[in-house]
Amino acid sequence: MSSRLRRLGAVARRVLQQLSRDSRFLILSVAAPLAVIYLLKVFLDTMAVPFIDSTTLAIPIGAFIVHFVTYVLCAIVLVRERTAQTLQRMFVSGYRRPEIIGGYVLAYSVIATVQSSLVLVELRALFGLAYPTETLLSIYAVIWLLAVISIAFGICVSNFARTEGQVFPLIPLVILPSVFLSGIIIDVDRLPVWAQWLSHVIPLYYANLGLQALMIPGARLLDSWQSLLSLAAYGVGVLAAGTLTLRERD
Amino acid sequence: MGAREVIVEDVHKRYGRVEALRGTSLTVGRGEIFGLLGPNGAGKTTLMRSLVGVSRPDAGTLTVLGLDPYRQARALRPQIGYMPQAPALYEELSARDNLLFFGRAHDAQGLGERVERALEFIGLSARSRDPIYGFSGGMKQRVSLACALLHEPRVLLLDEPTAGVDPKLREVFWQHFRALAAAGVTILVSTHQMDEALLCDRLAILRAGRVLVCETPKELFARGRSHVRIWRNGTAIDRTLDDSAVRLPGLLQEFGLDPKIDRIEIEQDSLERIVLALIGADAPNAHQKDTARELQA
């Protein structure tokens, strides 16, 4: 194994060690989306719009909840490292930017995997999703990929904050446009042209496209390949941006 | 002084309106323990951060082991050990896990053994598996120092390494620094403690980003004055001498072998008083009292 990969693994291992010693954080990060999805079920049942299948709303909103929780959890991590001066110490010790970002994404992907799995299980149980196993796995792939991108997105955003307090205004700045412009509530085509362009920089837009394609009866993973590819490319872009914007020096 | 391993030439660094370094220059030789002494805001930490390449100077040149800490950071960092002022440790992790993590960055051979030796040196073997958040400030400093020493660096940069450490362990640390220096390790250490400053081979007194003097402790002491009090018939006669070794015989001659002299008391200026005088001379109207308070604290 190359020394770069070894160091990336060391960062991931250290982050997981830290997370494993914070049981409250772990429980909340997994339980919070599950509780919100239950409230979503109550809301959609109460709303009961005729001729609208609640599952077509539940799956994209479930994906949004995973995106939101994962993004918020990660938006603060590097700021904490910076204020504690451990980030500076990592750099001086010889850790490099891609190893630090990669290690964080790898470690938080473990949480994202558990979170995405439980969210899908809950969605299936509450909304009685009657999709074949292949479609369900495809939906899982989209939600999981979105969760991993949310990690990178959160880390990237946290590079622009110097203190933990500066992170908070950045949270609604990213999350609320996702709700309005990603297509989960209204069709993107109905938005003004400039807003349609803006929707293209929102990761949830690509995830929603993929999920909508998969929810058509008889759909397969390949049917949403364009969205998956866009989502993957988006992830690579955000990772690169996160790595390049991580300040090593002042 | 051995081969010059740390060279700082006319370095300037500004943070907004604050000029942290104003033409700082100094050199540190191989195997030398070089002290940076000065009040808060003197530029000690900025200089340290510049030397490890996490702060880019606005002007001037820095060289550590012949390398530019900013442009050649990757080549330099495996050869330097840095202990920042704050402990900079992961509070949820144990001392052992912190050491293992920072040790893994260097791909050091026999890391497990090195970690055990380091824990023994800092006297924390028995508590090596306890999380850092339960440690006192001094214990965290000990772990932080061990992290800097783990990969056996050629140059050590220590920013107030013994703050909060008890006197007995401080002595152990300094014995270790001496042993490292004897083995050729170059040590740059910033401190507020005057007794520690005396243990350095050379000292630079910094104030407001400038080096006021750069001398051995002996040379610094030579700048001090002797305060002589002669008791004659129960009355005190005070004299101050710039260079007691040369001037004391003259003073004694002045009084001759007067049988009425009861006692002669000679008090040498302390390093603290000498440093305060230097800082005061540099800025007679600029917060001298605050500076004195900081140094006394």
Side-chain angles (χ1 to χ4, degrees), chain A residues 81 88 95 248-250, chain B residues 49 70 77 90 101 106 144:
Chain A
E81 289 257 18
Q88 174 189 288
Y95 286 106
E248 190 174 338
R249 306 166 178 112
D250 60 39
Chain B
R49 284 168 47 80
Y70 192 78
R77 283 175 177 169
Y90 295 102
F101 174 66
H106 297 290
S144 181

Side-chain angles (χ1 to χ4, degrees), chain B residues 219-238:
Chain B
E219 287 166 338
L220 265 176
F221 267 119
R223 289 174 174 268
R225 293 185 294 182
S226 298
H227 306 276
V228 181
R229 174 167 285 183
I230 298 168
W231 290 90
R232 192 169 62 179
N233 269 349
T235 309
I237 303 162
D238 290 322

Side-chain angles (χ1 to χ4, degrees), chain A residues 144-188:
Chain A
W144 180 83
L145 196 54
L146 178 68
V148 174
I149 288 166
S150 309
I151 296 166
F153 207 66
I155 289 171
C156 185
V157 164
S158 80
N159 283 341
F160 295 97
R162 280 183 180 265
T163 62
E164 291 182 22
Q166 286 178 2
V167 173
F168 297 112
L170 294 170
I171 291 172
L173 197 67
V174 169
I175 290 302
L176 293 179
S178 290
V179 178
F180 305 138
L181 306 179
S182 65
I184 60 170
I185 294 178
I186 56 156
D187 221 345
V188 173

Side-chain angles (χ1 to χ4, degrees), chain B residues 70-98:
Chain B
Y70 192 78
R71 290 187 183 82
Q72 294 166 298
R74 285 180 188 174
L76 177 65
R77 283 175 177 169
Q79 303 181 71
I80 58 170
Y82 174 52
M83 179 187 173
Q85 210 170 52
L89 300 166
Y90 295 102
E91 297 267 325
E92 307 88 343
L93 302 188
S94 65
R96 184 188 303 273
D97 288 337
N98 269 285

Side-chain angles (χ1 to χ4, degrees), chain A residues 3 7 10 13-14 17-18 21 80-81 84-86 88-93 95-96 248-250, chain B residues 49 53-56 70 73-74 77 82 87-88 90 92-93 97 101-102 104-107 144 147:
Chain A
S3 56
R7 284 198 290 263
R13 186 173 165 179
R14 188 264 299 163
Q17 276 178 323
Q18 281 179 285
R21 278 158 212 188
R80 278 176 59 191
E81 289 257 18
Q85 294 189 26
T86 45
Q88 174 189 288
R89 183 162 227 164
M90 269 201 281
F91 281 129
V92 177
S93 298
Y95 286 106
R96 295 175 193 176
E248 190 174 338
R249 306 166 178 112
D250 60 39
Chain B
R49 284 168 47 80
V54 292
S55 178
R56 185 181 196 173
Y70 192 78
R74 285 180 188 174
R77 283 175 177 169
Y82 174 52
Y90 295 102
E92 307 88 343
L93 302 188
D97 288 337
F101 174 66
F102 288 111
R104 283 186 186 115
H106 297 290
D107 297 325
S144 181
C147 288

